[in-house]
Structures are given as structure tokens and as C-alpha cells.
């Protein structure tokens, strides 16, 4: 694989995407099965694409994208990780391999057991694996010594059973990937509008006059979103992008599923205005927009013209405007410009688009949620939308673009370390099991509890916490401290190697595969970013007869630990309709669940804020009056320049799963160890492009956090900001550098020192 840096001049999508899709499908060892799979992704009678949580356009012939194709092909490999593989490869040896190597080995074939003294995983029967888990759990002196992690791929049925199992054992310790991801969105939206989810549906994108996209890279991470943006741009809607980097997908896009765009060189311009704030500068930018809107409003009123604010909406539905106006007035332009890194003139252009649009949607993802002041930033976006009544009318609203394909559904069905009392009451009444009332651990708290020895058993329903969590060495130590770690997984990953004293890998079916239980073939359900719940049924043949469904695995653990009373776990796993009946009885919005799933395309769970019903303490939507953060991060430490690092995804990865070594739209080929830096900053630091550097992050606990072997690449990025890929940079993110009130690691603002490596040898 040759390494090169070469600017990508095409539009996102287009022939490049088609060529890449074809390569992945053909390279996957079972092209025919994969093509069949692709054609069934996101169909009424097919499976939900595991690639992302974007919604499906009803009536579209087929809807998948290059990166969805990668996700599907990657799962449907015929390669297997067998007991012989583990016999051949010691755990200590596998630890030295890359994440790419590990996942490339294929699907885990059988349940495997590790006693850490032996350094080799060995096969274990399902019954013995469940008995081992039961022995550990029943031996705990307190149920809160158990941590139950969830990655957002699990179905609603599996996640519901999992939370019931954990709560029946007696804990609310449900750390999940959402704690590392969109937690700030949930917290901010719940406080502001009384519901922690987006208020728009996919149809709203067809009616918006302006769409503001903050801190996200849909060309790579939500390619189907580009279809919605392209439609909007083509019918004349304004798309305003705030992104620290110039992302190709947000500049230009050609739809690989549109014959016309493929055959004519015409691609669609996506953003009509593209602004590149400094990392963490979005709150200041939005504050600037609000300041202008308020000024223009006051001036209009003075001239006797109608103002810009939606005064009826504000009077009827909101509280806190006066305090907010005071804090906006008190925010000086100098601070806004300095913190956002944008000129007042640029912010004015964005504010003009906002003020002149009838219907506005704001979308955002990790560029907003992984900072210290993420909750405050999201509240500032809500403030802006409230000023003009841009919530709960067609074509307008708030849209956190979720990550994992069912992360939103997992939360809805109870994966929540801080469940509300009403939900616990309902579970208690329905199942006649006393429910734990103590709040549980989020991801960071769970890692700390394992580190301290307070938590002893770690079970993961999917994911790869060892690579996904911050402070990789600390996380590894936390896992190693456990008596037992259990990973329910499809593929080999780093978390299997960072094992507790004893460890299990329990191999499960993937979403694209058929799932047959005692009562026959099963389907599961998922919820997308737009609160649409629909069925998903796999079509591919399972890769091995030993693999079990996630639901069956959870039922097996629960049955062995708790017996079959009062819940007959195995009977639930025999027929998922039974799980859905319990869900219907205990989850608001899921009434007549099985029956409503008959509707093609599923059903809409509804959103109280979109109906102008505000479930906040005051019964109204709240303006938040917070000053901007005092300062973002220091510009220097002991005379040495400090840069702010964002850790992000390349085009060829799915979180910790590395599909390939290219990041096509950013012009990076054959490598991942790169550091994007502004040319002036490269000069200022006396570096040259291609130099090898190491990075050391700053945190006040005296521990050294360092990574080395990164190659400097000149890039269009604000000076003082740098970017490099996750998970290679996770050792730099301090565990306790977290967002205020969200407790999410600040993966998009890490203060780092950058030093040229003395020897070019990669350490
Ligand atoms: N193919 C693929 N699809 C995925 C995933 C994947 O890894 N691969 N992951 C899934 C998951 S779990 C998630 S959460 C989503 C992630 O989707 P994204 O949020 O798009 O993921 P990141 O790669 O972290 O990209 C962050 C983007 O925000 C910008 N940014 C960073 N900091 C700032 C800032 O302070 N301000 C502004 N304005 N911009 C900033 C970056 O330049 C980058 O474009 O995608 C989901 N879909
Ligand atoms: N530095 C930094 N760190 C980050 C981020 C960042 O931007 N920067 N982003 C954060 C975000 S947004 C997220 S969501 C987390 C992601 O954290 P996780 O969700 O924990 O990680 P993934 O890489 O998505 O998990 C991949 C593993 O899931 C397993 N898997 C795949 N499909 C299935 C399935 O169907 N069932 C089961 N049981 N297992 C399956 C496979 O074994 C695979 O190895 O990472 C976070 N960490
Ligand atoms: Mo995520």
C-alpha cells in the first residue's frame, strides 16, 4: 500500500464512491451475498443499515451509500477467527498488532475463554460461559460492582432485555457509547425543550429554507444525509456550514445513485456559506449571530417595522428571554471574534441567512458535542432557534445527527445510567422485581470505578471500549483490574486483548444475518435519528452455526444468573414478539408495538417539543443565559506553543473499526498516522511537511500522555488547531477532561505540545 498525500479534486460521492463501493464488495470474499445484502439494506423488508442513524426516504428504490456498503461487506466476511487461530496467536502477541489487523481476521466463530495466566483464549461451551458469568455475578458483594456497557448497534429488543437483566441483578450501571458521543445533546435538549432528541423528521429537510450544519462530516459519516442536503440545495435552500476543516462532502456532492449526475460532470454545490471556526468556537459564533439578530430586531422596531423575533412564540412558549438578552448584550464582539476565530463580517453573513429564512434547521454532531462547553454550545443553538420560533413547525427545528445506527433506540428502551423514576416504577409493577434507584455510572465513571477496584465485572454488549474510550492506557488498566470481562462481539478487537483476570468473548450474529429462534425467523427493531421505529430483518446466512443472537446471549446470561422466575428469559428469546409485548407494557409510545410494526416503514414515536409541549420544570422552552467560556485552551505552556487537537474519523473507518488506510476526500492514502496542520503553523514551528512529530497532551495530573510517529500534513485548518485520527490519538485524551454536565471526553479539544521527533524511526 503506497503512502501518498494528493488533494482530491472531485465532488464527494460520484464515481469515486461508486468505485470504492465496488472494490469493497468485490474484495469482501463473497461479492454475490454482499450485493444481495446491499439491495436489502433499508428496504421495507430488509435490515437497517448498520452504517449510521440517518433516516430512510420512503419510496426510494434503494438507499445505501459507499460507507454503508463498507459496513455491510465488512460484517459479511467469510473469514473466521477459530479456536485454532487463538491457539496459534497468544494474547500478548495479538496486542502488538494493529486494530486493522485484528478486525480483518474475520468473525469470531465460537465462545472463547481466557484465564489471564495462560495467554491463550480457549473454546468454551455456551452453557459453561453462562455458568461462569452467573458464578461471578452471584458472588459480588454488591450489584453495583457490575458494569454493563452498550455500543449503539444493539437492537431495541436486545437492549431492552439487557437493561432488564442489569436492573434485575440490581444496578443502573449502564455506561454506553452515547456517553462518549451525543450525551451533551441529550442533556442540553432535555433542559431546554424537555426532550433529549431531535425535533425534526426527514420530511422537514424538504421544506427548510436554511440548514445550518455544525461540526459534522456527513460525506464520510452520514452519506445519506448528503442526499437530503443536495435536494435542499438544488431547490434553493441555503446551507450554511460551520466546520473546523474544509470537508469535501459539505462543499460538493454528486449522487452516485443519480444517473444524470453520474453521466454529466455536474455536481451539486452543497454549502452556500462555509465558515471555519476555531475548535470550540461555535458557541461564540452563534452568540454573534444572536447578537446581530437582536440588534436588527431592535432597529426594525425603532423604524416602526415588524421585528425579527417571533414574539407570539416567545410569549407563549418560552421563558428567560430578558436574561438571555442581557448576557448577549454583555458579550463583546472582541471576545466573539477571538473565540470563534471568525470575523464579524463572516458571522453577519450567517446571521443574514438565518434572519431571512422562514424555516431553519440546525444540525450537529461530534464537532459540537466533544468539548468542555458542549452543553452550553447546544443551548446557544437552541436560544437562536427560539428567537424566531424555529422549533415545532414544518421545515424547522433541531437535529442532533446520531452516531451508531440504533444508539437513540437504546436510550429510548432503557439504556440509561440515570433512568427516570416513572420508568423504574413501570418496570417494577410489570415484572414484580424491585428496581435499583441509585444512579449508575456513565462511561468515564465506570472506567474510574474499575480502576479503583470498586467495579469487578465488566460486560459489553458490542463496541470496543479499550480503543474507543479516552486515555487508552488507563482504560486498559481498568479492564485488567476486573475479575471478569465479557465481550459480546462480532469481530476480534482490542477489548478482547485488554482482558480481566478471566475473560469471555461471546460471538453474536450481525444485523445483516438471519436470526432463527425456537418460534421461527425473527426480526428486531431500531430507531433512527428522527424517532422512526421500524423493523430490521437480516437476510444473510450466519457465518458460523455457533454464533448466537444478542438477545439469546443476554437471555442465557440472565437465566443462568437469575433463574426463570419471575422472568422466563429463555422463553423471551424464543420469540421476540414476547419481548415487544413487555416493551409495549412498559415504554411510553410503544403501545400496541407488535401491531404498529405492520405499517410499512414503521411508526413515528413523536416528539413532545415538536408539538410545543415542553416537559421542562417550568413547562416552557428555556433560554439559557450563559456567558462564553472565559478562555478556550492556553496558547502556550512554559514558552512552548500549545495547539488544540481534534481527534476524528477518516473515510475508511467505522469508529475503532479500520476498513482501509485511505481518507480519500482529505487526500490521504495508505496511512493513518498523519497530523493536519496549517502551513503557517508548520513554518512557525520550524517544521516541514512530512516531518515526524510526537504529541504530548497537557493535563494537570502530572502524568505523561504521549503518542509518536505522526507525519505533518499541510491542511486548510485554522492556525493553532490540528487534527489527527481516532483511535490512534486516544492515549492523549485525559480520562477526566470531560464536558461540563455531559461528562463526555473532550475528544475535539485536546491541548497538545508538538515536537519534532529526533529520529525518524517510528516508535
Ligand atoms: N463511515 C462512518 N460512519 C459513521 C461513523 C464512522 O466512524 N464511520 N461513526 C458513527 C458515529 S458513532 C458517529 S458519533 C458519527 C460521527 O460523525 P461526525 O461528527 O461527522 O464525526 P467526526 O469524524 O468525529 O467529525 C467531526 C467533524 O466536526 C468537525 N469539527 C471538529 N471540531 C469542531 C468544532 O469545534 N467546531 C466545528 N464547527 N467543527 C468541528 C471536524 O472537522 C469534522 O468534520 O458518525 C457515525 N457514522
Ligand atoms: N478520541 C476519540 N474517541 C472517541 C470518539 C472520537 O471522536 N474521538 N468518538 C466516540 C464515539 S462518537 C463513539 S460512538 C465511540 C464508539 O465506541 P464503541 O461503540 O465502543 O466502538 P465501535 O468501534 O463502534 O465498536 C466496534 C466493535 O463492535 C463490535 N460489533 C460490531 N457490530 C456488532 C454487532 O452487531 N453486535 C455486537 N454485539 N457487536 C458488534 C465489533 O466486535 C467491533 O469490534 O467512540 C468514542 N471515542
Ligand atoms: Mo458516536
Amino acid at each position: 500500500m503506497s503512502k501518498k498525500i494528493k488533494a482530491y479534486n472531485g465532488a464527494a460521492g460520484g464515481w469515486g464512491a461508486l468505485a470504492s463501493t465496488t472494490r469493497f464488495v468485490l474484495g469482501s470474499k463473497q461479492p454475490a451475498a454482499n450485493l444481495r445484502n446491499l439491495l436489502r439494506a433499508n428496504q421495507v423488508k430488509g435490515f437497517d443499515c448498520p452504517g449510521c442513524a440517518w433516516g430512510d426516504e420512503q419510496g426510494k428504490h434503494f438507499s445505501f451509500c459507499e460507507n454503508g456498503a463498507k459496513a455491510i461487506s465488512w460484517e459479511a466476511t467469510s473469514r473466521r477467527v477459530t479456536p485454532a487461530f487463538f491457539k496459534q496467536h497468544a494474547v500478548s502477541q495479538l496486542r502488538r498488532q494493529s486494530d486493522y489487523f485484528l478486525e480483518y481476521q474475520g468473525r469470531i466463530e465460537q465462545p472463547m475463554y481466557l484465564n489471564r495466566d495462560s495467554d491463550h483464549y480457549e473454546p468454551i461451551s455456551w452453557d459453561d460461559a453462562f455458568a461462569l458469568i452467573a458464578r461471578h455475578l452471584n458472588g459480588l458483594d454488591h450489584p453495583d460492582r457490575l458494569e454493563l456497557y452498550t455500543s449503539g448497534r444493539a437492537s431495541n429488543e436486545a437492549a431492552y432485555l439487557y437493561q432488564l437483566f442489569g436492573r434485575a441483578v440490581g444496578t443502573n450501571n449502564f455506561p454506553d457509547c452515547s456517553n462518549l458521543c451525543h450525551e451533551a445533546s441529550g442533556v442540553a435538549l432535555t433542559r431546554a425543550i424537555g426532550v433529549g432528541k431531535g425535533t425534526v423528521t426527514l420530511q422537514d429537510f424538504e421544506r427548510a429554507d436554511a440548514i445550518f450544519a455544525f461540526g459534522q462530516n456527513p460525506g464520510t459519516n452520514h452519506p445519506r444525509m448528503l442526499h437530503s442536503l443536495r435536494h435542499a440545495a438544488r431547490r434553493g435552500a441555503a446551507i450554511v456550514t460551520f466546520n473546523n476543516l474544509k470537508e469535501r462532502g459539505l462543499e460538493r456532492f454528486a449522487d452516485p445513485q443519480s444517473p444524470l449526475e453520474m453521466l454529466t460532470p455536474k455536481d451539486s454545490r452543497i454549502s452556500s456559506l462555509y465558515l471555519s471556526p476555531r475548535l470550540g468556537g461555535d458557541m461564540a459564533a452563534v452568540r454573534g449571530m444572536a447578537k446581530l439578530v437582536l440588534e436588527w430586531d431592535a432597529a426594525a422596531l425603532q423604524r416602526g417595522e415588524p421585528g425579527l423575533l417571533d414574539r407570539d412564540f416567545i410569549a407563549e412558549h418560552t421563558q428567560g428571554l430578558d436574561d438571555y438578552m442581557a448576557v448577549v448584550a454583555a458579550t463583546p464582539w472582541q471576545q466573539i471574534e477571538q473565540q470563534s476565530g471568525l470575523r464579524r463580517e463572516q458571522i453577519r453573513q450567517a446571521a443574514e441567512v438565518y434572519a431571512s429564512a422562514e424555516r431553519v434547521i440546525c444540525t450537529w454532531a461530534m464537532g459540537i458535542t466533544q468539548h468542555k462547553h458542549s452543553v452550553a454550545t447546544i443551548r446557544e443553538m437552541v436560544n437562536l432557534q427560539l428567537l424566531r420560533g424555529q422549533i415545532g413547525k414544518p421545515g424547522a427545528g433541531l437535529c442532533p445527527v446520531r452516531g451508531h445506527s440504533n444508539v437513540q433506540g437504546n436510550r429510548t428502551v432503557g439504556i440509561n445510567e440515570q433512568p427516570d423514576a416513572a420508568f423504574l416504577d413501570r418496570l417494577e409493577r410489570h415484572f414484580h422485581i424491585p428496581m435499583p434507584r441509585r444512579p449508575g455510572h456513565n462511561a468515564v465513571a465506570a472506567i474510574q470505578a474499575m480502576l479503583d477496584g470498586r467495579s469487578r465485572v465488566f460486560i459489553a454488549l458490542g463496541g470496543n471500549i479499550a480503543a474507543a474510550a479516552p486515555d487508552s492506557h488507563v482504560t486498559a488498566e481498568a479492564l485488567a483490574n476486573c475479575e471478569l470481562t465479557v465481550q459480546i462481539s462480532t469481530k476480534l478487537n482490542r477489548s478482547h486483548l485488554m482482558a480481566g483476570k478471566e475473560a469471555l468473548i461471546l460471538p453474536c450474529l450481525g444485523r445483516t444475518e438471519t436470526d432463527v429462534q425456537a418460534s421461527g425467523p425473527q426480526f428486531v427493531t431500531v430507531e433512527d435519528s428522527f424517532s422512526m421505529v421500524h423493523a430490521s430483518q437480516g437476510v444473510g446466512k450466519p457465518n458460523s452455526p455457533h454464533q448466537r443472537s444478542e438477545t439469546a446471549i443476554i437471555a442465557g446470561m440472565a437465566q443462568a444468573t437469575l433463574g426463570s422466575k419471575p422472568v422466563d428469559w429463555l422463553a423471551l428469546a424464543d420469540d421476540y414478539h414476547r419481548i415487544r409485548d413487555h416493551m409495549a407494557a412498559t415504554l411510553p409510545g410503544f403501545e400496541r408495538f407488535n401491531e404498529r410494526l405492520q405499517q410499512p416503514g414503521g411508526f413515528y414515536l413523536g416528539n413532545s417539543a415538536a408539538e410545543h409541549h415542553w416537559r421542562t420544570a417550568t413547562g416552557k422552552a428555556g433560554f439559557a443565559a450563559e456567558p462564553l467560556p472565559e478562555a478556550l485552551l492556553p496558547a502556550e505552556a512554559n514558552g512552548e506553543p500549545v495547539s488544540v487537537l481534534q481527534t476524528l474519523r477518516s473515510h475508511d473507518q467505522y469508529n475503532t473499526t479500520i476498513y482501509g488506510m485511505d481518507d480519500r476526500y482529505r487526500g490521504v492514502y495508505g496511512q493513518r498516522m498523519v497530523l493536519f496542520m496549517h502551513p503557517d503553523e508548520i513554518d512557525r514551528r520550524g517544521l516541514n511537511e512530512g516531518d515526524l512529530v510526537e504529541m504530548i497532551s497537557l493535563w494537570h495530573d502530572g502524568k505523561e500522555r504521549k503518542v509518536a510517529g505522526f507525519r505533518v500534513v499541510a491542511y486548510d485548518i485554522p492556525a493553532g488547531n490540528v487534527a489527527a485520527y481516532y483511535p490512534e490519538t486516544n492515549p492523549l485524551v485525559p480520562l477526566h477532561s470531560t464536558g461540563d454536565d455531559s461528562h463526555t471526553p473532550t475528544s475535539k479539544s485536546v491541548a497538545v505540545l508538538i515536537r519534532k521527533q529526533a529520529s525518524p524511526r517510528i516508535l
Side-chain angles (χ1 to χ4, degrees), residues 149-389:
Y149 179 75
T150 313
S151 162
R153 264 208 197 180
S155 64
N156 289 334
E157 287 75 2
Y160 180 83
L161 208 62
Y162 191 61
Q163 63 82 32
L164 187 64
F165 164 53
R167 295 195 164 109
V169 171
T171 187
N172 283 313
N173 284 346
F174 290 104
D176 71 343
C177 73
S178 195
N179 299 142
L180 310 171
C181 182
H182 259 295
E183 191 69 49
S185 306
V187 172
L189 294 178
T190 303
R191 286 183 188 169
I193 59 171
V195 53
K197 301 182 185 183
T199 66
V200 298
T201 65
L202 201 50
Q203 288 70 42
D204 288 315
F205 282 81
E206 290 162 19
R207 303 180 69 169
D209 303 314
I211 299 167
F212 285 76
F214 290 91
Q216 62 170 133
N217 181 23
T220 288
N221 298 316
H222 307 94
R224 285 181 296 131
M225 178 179 180
L226 287 188
H227 294 266
S228 302
L229 294 183
R230 168 178 155 278
H231 282 302
R234 289 204 146 186
R235 61 174 175 75
I239 294 174
V240 179
T241 292
F242 286 82
N243 197 304
N244 189 243
L245 301 175
K246 285 277 157 48
E247 303 285 24
R248 178 49 43 89
L250 289 162
E251 295 178 321
R252 288 187 285 136
F253 174 59
D255 183 353
Q257 292 176 33
S258 152
L260 201 66
E261 284 192 11
M262 294 298 282
L263 293 176
T264 56
K266 201 163 159 284
D267 47 53
S268 301
R269 188 175 73 156
I270 298 292
S271 301
S272 41
L273 179 62
Y274 201 123
L275 301 175
S276 298
R278 292 172 57 183
L279 290 172
D282 300 84
M283 181 177 179
V286 178
R287 175 65 50 91
M289 288 170 66
K291 198 171 169 77
L292 289 169
V293 170
L294 289 169
E295 275 172 28
W296 295 336
D297 176 70
L301 292 184
Q302 213 157 35
R303 289 194 303 269
E305 294 167 9
L308 285 178
L309 305 195
D310 185 339
R311 292 199 152 69
D312 293 342
F313 176 88
I314 290 172
E316 194 183 340
H317 295 298
T318 72
Q319 57 83 33
L321 177 64
D322 291 345
D323 289 347
Y324 178 60
M325 285 174 67
V327 85
V328 173
T331 312
W333 271 108
Q334 186 260 341
Q335 191 188 15
I336 291 173
E337 290 194 321
Q338 192 267 335
Q339 217 162 83
S340 67
L342 299 173
R343 283 173 287 109
R344 184 170 172 167
E345 169 57 23
Q346 293 175 297
I347 296 175
R348 188 185 59 74
Q349 289 174 5
E352 273 175 359
V353 174
Y354 176 76
S356 56
E358 274 294 304
R359 304 159 195 276
V360 180
I361 294 177
C362 288
T363 77
W364 68 92
M366 296 305 101
I368 294 299
T369 62
Q370 295 178 331
H371 291 287
K372 182 160 191 304
H373 57 296
S374 294
V375 170
T377 303
I378 296 163
R379 294 224 48 189
E380 191 65 16
M381 299 195 293
V382 179
N383 289 339
L384 182 72
Q385 290 287 69
L386 291 178
L387 286 178
R388 286 183 39 83

Side-chain angles (χ1 to χ4, degrees), residues 727-749:
E728 286 83 348
T729 44
N730 283 43
L732 294 176
V733 187
L735 182 64
H736 291 291
S737 171
T738 54
D740 298 335
D741 297 339
S742 64
H743 311 287
T744 299
T746 56
S747 305
K748 296 293 188 275
S749 47

